[in-house]
Amino acid sequence: MTGRAPRTVRRRPPGGPLVSLVMTVLNESGSLPAFLGSLAGQTVLPDELVVVDGGSADGTVALLEEWSRTAPVKVTVIVAPGANISRGRNLAISGAQHDLIAVTDAGTRLAPGWLAALVAALRDDVDVVSGFFGPMWDSWHERLFACVLMPLADEIDPATFLPSSRSLLLRRSAWRAAGGYPEWLDYCEDLVLDLALRKAGLRFAFQPEAIARWSARDTWRGYATQYYRYARGDGKSGLWPRRHALRYGAYALGLAGLLAPSPGIVRPLLVLGFLGYAARFLRRAWRRRPAGAFATLRFLAAVPAVVVVGDVAKMAGYPAGLAWRRRAISAGRNPDARGGAGRMPETAVRIS
């Protein structure tokens, strides 16, 4: 449904660029109200919101339709059952009216100045603005996983940073030049797009003040599954083979040192080596630690388990992705093929 709210509430500077905000949803009725509240609270609003629903069964579309009636922006919902995130984003961008495209996820909460910061970083010599992200949580486990795994702003090298599509602004021409999001890929699709953008020679700017907050999983099983899928996406797309090989090698050497007869100095050295490897994760946890000495100690003590569980999940997921990639190539399919971005499938319905 397209909701046309009164223009009197729009907060875009006169002469400012027109921006379309796009995102995908699937059974997001629980997280949408908080997201929509953060969107309505933007100091600079987008000129439209385009949402692609992949076939929700929990009232997500009805919630969006209801919100659109009083929304401060025009809202368009495209229902495309079975569309994955890449397909949904391509459809949303194709259906958007404007040439500046902001991208986020429904599970985020946008800082009030998120879109304003993205737009402020856009210059004539910039095609892509990389926003940033931060943790939010409702439970101890969500806080632990998010605070340990999300990088700090001072860890980022703007020259090499590959932005998450939770917090991104790009020109439509850049999206086209990169071939759109890879619709054959279910995870890590934003990294593949980033690499295609860089390969196409598009120019990036980093905007650390454009913060989209998101929460990690709230159980160990959910966390492990998430990172299994991330690594499976790496394998499907052929990303980071050296990084994954080093992880296998490091854990193999560590297990050999722990299990095989060895001089007494070996085990302490292995512990020191692991602590060195985990130092950046410990630093993140320390910087985001809870109040109180006991709570801080409990928080820091859990960091090694977070690192190991995540690494084991990645080591399981990566070969699964590689196997999928080999099968695709053996069947004569090109897993790196792009194209077809934005074509409306027969099953998609534009509610307007």
Side-chain angles (χ1 to χ4, degrees), residues 47-217:
D47 294 273
E48 65 170 344
L49 171 66
V50 183
V51 184
V52 172
D53 181 90
S56 295
D58 68 343
T60 292
V61 172
L63 191 156
L64 285 165
E65 292 175 346
E66 177 64 28
W67 186 76
S68 73
R69 296 188 181 104
T70 57
V73 297
K74 173 187 173 183
V75 181
T76 298
V77 179
I78 299 171
V79 178
N84 63 13
I85 294 175
S86 290
R87 181 64 170 149
R89 285 178 176 151
N90 285 336
L91 284 171
I93 294 171
S94 179
Q97 293 184 346
H98 307 303
D99 289 331
L100 277 184
I101 308 294
V103 189
T104 192
D105 282 344
T108 63
R109 295 179 196 172
L110 308 175
W114 175 76
L115 186 58
L118 288 174
V119 172
L122 189 72
R123 305 183 303 271
D124 290 342
D125 61 345
V126 171
D127 303 296
V128 182
V129 179
S130 308
F132 203 47
F133 40 82
M136 65 179 183
W137 57 82
D138 294 315
S139 70
W140 188 84
H141 281 105
E142 284 181 342
R143 180 172 190 167
L144 174 68
F145 299 141
C147 291
V148 171
L149 299 169
M150 289 188 201
L152 299 163
D154 60 14
E155 297 178 38
I156 302 301
D157 177 0
T160 59
F161 180 56
L162 299 176
S164 165
S165 286
R166 293 183 183 94
S167 186
L168 184 70
L169 180 72
L170 76 167
R171 301 183 191 275
R172 185 186 299 273
S173 57
W175 169 74
R176 285 177 177 153
Y181 285 91
E183 297 182 8
W184 50 271
L185 191 58
D186 51 355
Y187 278 82
C188 299
E189 74 292 332
D190 47 0
L191 295 183
V192 173
L193 175 73
D194 293 340
L195 292 169
L197 289 165
R198 290 195 178 276
K199 185 176 180 181
L202 283 309
R203 301 156 297 181
F204 283 67
F206 178 50
Q207 176 52 286
E209 296 178 9
I211 302 293
R213 300 195 178 277
W214 64 281
S215 61
R217 300 296 188 263

Side-chain angles (χ1 to χ4, degrees), residues 184-185 235-237 319-329 333 335:
W184 50 271
L185 191 58
K236 285 183 175 183
S237 52
L322 288 178
W324 178 93
R325 185 177 180 85
R326 292 193 191 99
R327 289 195 299 271
I329 293 173
R333 303 193 308 271

Side-chain angles (χ1 to χ4, degrees), residues 298-346:
R298 181 188 178 213
F299 201 62
L300 294 176
V303 172
V306 174
V307 175
V308 172
V309 169
D311 281 346
V312 171
K314 293 172 189 175
M315 287 188 286
Y318 190 67
L322 288 178
W324 178 93
R325 185 177 180 85
R326 292 193 191 99
R327 289 195 299 271
I329 293 173
S330 297
R333 303 193 308 271
N334 178 8
D336 301 320
R338 311 184 75 80
R343 289 180 301 173
M344 185 77 74
E346 292 181 2

